[in-house]
Amino acid sequence: MKARPLPDLLQDVLDYGQEAIETVADLSADQILGERMREHAVLRTVQIVGEAASQATKLDATLLSRIPDLRRAIGLRNVLVHGYVKVRMEEIVLIVRHDLPDLLTQVRAALGEHNS
């Protein structure tokens, strides 16, 4: 399988990150867990953010120094995929609400630099 171009991967981080934010909205963790499809959507979009970040850093290792939060996104993806520990939805909601918007801002800047 051919690697996707770096701008496409960064755009995936943005698109799926925004989708995660919209899916969580102002709902509590319990409300999200009460809607199985929403729960899966939140977990999957967060996972894709981490996977796109991982693939992007393979193409440009300097991204990790410019956007250190990518490392956390990749780590969370690994936890979700490999099930190292049980991740509580409360933690995911906090990450989506408090950490993901900053990451998206940083990725937008990097994407702008790349497209310049």
Side-chain angles (χ1 to χ4, degrees):
M1 179 194 303
K2 185 178 176 185
R4 296 186 63 219
L6 182 60
D8 292 355
L9 292 167
L10 294 175
Q11 190 62 52
D12 283 348
V13 171
L14 293 176
D15 292 345
Y16 284 95
Q18 188 59 47
E19 187 173 338
I21 291 169
E22 291 169 5
T23 303
V24 166
D26 62 350
L27 300 173
S28 70
D30 287 338
Q31 288 172 310
I32 292 168
L33 291 170
E35 296 180 49
R36 191 110 169 119
M37 293 301 287
R38 186 179 297 268
E39 174 189 0
H40 288 280
V42 169
L43 295 175
R44 181 69 176 145
T45 53
V46 169
Q47 178 185 333
I48 292 171
V49 167
E51 180 61 26
S54 176
Q55 295 301 317
T57 60
K58 289 176 185 173
L59 295 176
D60 182 355
T62 68
L63 286 172
L64 287 173
S65 62
R66 295 184 351 231
I67 310 171
D69 287 345
L70 285 176
R71 190 177 313 278
R72 292 181 62 215
I74 294 165
L76 181 57
R77 174 257 180 223
N78 290 340
V79 168
L80 291 172
V81 169
H82 299 291
Y84 297 128
V85 294
K86 176 82 172 150
V87 178
R88 293 183 12 238
M89 185 55 70
E90 293 87 359
E91 294 174 46
I92 298 294
V93 169
L94 287 174
I95 290 167
V96 168
R97 285 197 182 127
H98 300 289
D99 299 335
L100 197 51
D102 291 339
L103 174 62
L104 298 186
T105 298
Q106 295 167 18
V107 170
R108 272 188 207 93
L111 187 57
E113 291 169 9
H114 188 272
N115 290 332
S116 297

